[in-house]
Structure formats: C-alpha cells, structure tokens
Amino acid sequence: PAIATTTCLVSGLACLELYKLASERKTAIASANPKGHGEAACSEKEDPGRISRYRNNFVNLALPLLAASEPAKATIVGGEEGEARSGFTVWDCVEMQGGSTTIRDVQTLLHVRFGAALEMLSHGARLIFSKYANLASQRSKIDVLDAPISALLGKDYEETMESSGFVDLVALASDERGQNVELPPIRLMM
C-alpha cells in the first residue's frame, strides 16, 4: 500500500505541474491568434516570473510531510562573468545535423560559438580525434578531419542513430590562453 500511495501522490503532483504548463501554452496560443488558429511564436525573451508559477514538491509520507518550493534556475557553467557566448546549463547541448558532419565542421562550430580550439573528440569510450595523436603523416590527419564522423564511428554510429535518433559526442577544447574550456555535449541529429 505504501508504494501505491506514494506513486499516486507523485503522479498527481507531476500532473498538476503539467496542467500548469498546458494552460500556459493554450493561453500563449490564444493571445498570439485570437481566432484560435495556428501556433504561438516562441519569444526570444524569457518571462522572468515564469519559473515562479511552478513548484518542486518534497514528500515524506512517513512523517507526514508535503513541502513545495519554487524551482531554482539552472546554473550557468562554462562562461566567465559577462562572457555570454560560452555559458550554458547542464541541460544544454550543441545540435548539429549528422550524416556528413566532419571533425572540421565541429572545429569551426566550437571556434565560432565558444572561441575554443578542439583538442579531443570522443563518443562514449571511443576516441575519434586527438590533436596530440601520433599520425603517420600530415596527410592522414587531414583525411581524418575531412572524413564524416559517421564513417569514423561506423557500426556504433548506425546502431546509436537507430536506437535514439542522435549521437552524443564529448569535446575537449582550450581557449587562446591554453586553458580548458567547459563545453556542452555535441549532439548529431538524424
């Protein structure tokens, strides 16, 4: 009985928050188009009071305790004070189209978006690229940079794309001072 009671309570509290989200979406669509047709345009500017409409709930049925609190904003990591282009949250990822994406494309994206130089790129425990790799010749290094990541990963790429629709890559990069730069995962979409 305790498991069923707790499950019901948690499900109910989660549904309550989903109702808030759905009613907010319905209101946004209605205000964007009074006749009720079409979708609301997403605002680039976040409503600063929006997060205060929701609640985190803490439950302990043994006490009995039900405590609700305002959720905290996601912590920004990876950026210095005032450096907006490299800050991100733990929920963020950099999305790129899969298929013909090359390591050179990833290098360019990291340089433009984060001001960082790619040093290593991996998928799970598999190292795809390393700036420090002892390649037989400079020509083979150029070949690796211009080869599609899908070809470098081979069967792993195909299996992961089939099961989840994306492949997550982890990049290690440094800035112009040689300091490591924190980066979100790079997600290659199907």
Side-chain angles (χ1 to χ4, degrees):
I3 292 174
T5 307
T6 305
T7 303
C8 288
L9 180 60
V10 169
S11 299
L13 291 170
C15 285
L16 183 62
E17 297 305 312
L18 285 173
Y19 288 140
K20 290 178 190 178
L21 188 64
S23 74
E24 183 179 288
R25 179 74 176 151
K26 186 177 178 182
T27 305
I29 291 171
S31 64
N33 190 344
K35 294 184 180 180
H37 302 292
E39 293 286 316
C42 293
S43 171
E44 290 293 322
K45 202 179 207 183
E46 261 190 61
D47 179 9
R50 182 173 182 212
I51 199 166
S52 66
R53 296 180 189 132
Y54 302 100
R55 293 288 175 258
N56 282 339
N57 291 291
F58 303 93
V59 178
N60 187 343
L61 295 179
L63 291 180
L65 171 71
L66 173 63
S69 68
E70 187 175 304
K73 288 187 177 183
T75 305
I76 304 290
V77 294
E80 295 178 15
E81 189 74 28
E83 192 177 339
R85 72 178 186 160
S86 64
F88 61 94
T89 69
V90 295
W91 301 103
D92 292 335
C93 67
V94 177
E95 291 185 357
M96 298 180 77
Q97 286 301 318
S100 62
T101 301
T102 65
I103 293 174
R104 194 175 303 278
D105 296 335
V106 173
Q107 281 181 325
T108 304
L109 176 98
L110 295 179
H111 180 71
V112 170
R113 188 159 173 196
F114 298 101
L118 181 66
E119 293 185 1
M120 288 187 217
L121 187 66
S122 64
H123 169 64
R126 186 173 183 178
L127 186 64
I128 302 169
F129 170 77
S130 176
K131 174 179 154 182
Y132 310 108
N134 186 13
L135 297 174
S137 70
Q138 191 65 20
R139 176 77 181 136
S140 63
K141 190 171 188 175
I142 291 171
D143 291 344
V144 168
L145 289 174
D146 292 328
I149 293 174
S150 58
L152 296 172
L153 288 175
K155 193 174 180 182
D156 288 344
Y157 180 86
E158 293 169 15
E159 289 174 356
T160 307
M161 277 294 192
E162 283 179 21
S163 64
S164 62
F166 61 86
V167 172
D168 278 342
L169 305 174
V170 177
L172 176 65
S174 62
D175 60 13
E176 61 276 352
R177 298 175 299 195
Q179 300 294 316
N180 284 345
V181 176
E182 289 186 61
L183 297 171
I186 298 166
R187 180 165 287 175
L188 299 180
M189 303 300 289
M190 186 179 278

